[in-house]
Amino acid sequence: EVQLVESGGGLVQPGGSLRLSCVSSGFTFSSSTMSWVRQAPGKGLEWVADISSGGGLTYYTDSVKGRFTISRDNVRKMLYLQLNSLKIEDTAMYYCAQGAARYNVYEVRRGQGTQVTVSS
């Protein structure tokens, strides 16, 4: 059974930083493209970032380029998202996902999510 468990969310002021983590099990992590997606209150799912199976290729939605960094540790089967220079509009539930969500955000397997709230 595929399991994805996110952690690291919280309440942060605008301009602050957070690091999200995702521990995976039940599939061959090192062979999987992985993604982060998010859902803001009252809105649909939004793709945030993808990383290739080996970690050499990364992709970001325009609104987070230069502020967020996706990374992975294939030995520990962990996925990360470093969030810097956070804005109020980054407030959302953030999900770790197996697959390339940049193609179709609804066709990837997600965890339960971790809440990120940016507020002064």
Side-chain angles (χ1 to χ4, degrees), residues 21-115:
S21 299
C22 171
V23 59
S24 70
S25 62
F27 65 101
T28 307
F29 182 81
S30 60
S31 298
S32 297
T33 294
M34 297 295 295
S35 301
W36 287 96
V37 303
R38 66 185 179 184
Q39 187 167 26
K43 297 189 176 181
L45 285 172
E46 177 189 23
W47 167 65
V48 175
D50 281 358
I51 186 167
S52 61
S53 58
L57 296 173
T58 56
Y59 308 87
Y60 299 92
T61 194
D62 286 346
S63 62
V64 308
K65 282 180 182 176
R67 300 189 299 120
F68 291 7
T69 303
I70 188 171
S71 61
R72 65 192 295 160
D73 183 333
N74 282 352
V75 174
R76 293 185 172 86
K77 301 181 182 180
M78 297 286 295
L79 181 71
Y80 305 101
L81 187 68
Q82 178 69 41
L83 292 70
N84 296 331
S85 302
L86 280 161
K87 304 176 180 180
I88 291 175
E89 52 264 40
D90 294 319
T91 295
M93 185 72 78
Y94 284 72
Y95 300 92
C96 165
Q98 180 196 11
R102 70 185 185 278
Y103 297 122
N104 189 323
V105 72
Y106 292 97
E107 290 189 353
V108 292
R109 194 166 298 171
R110 293 179 281 135
Q112 294 300 306
T114 186
Q115 178 68 40

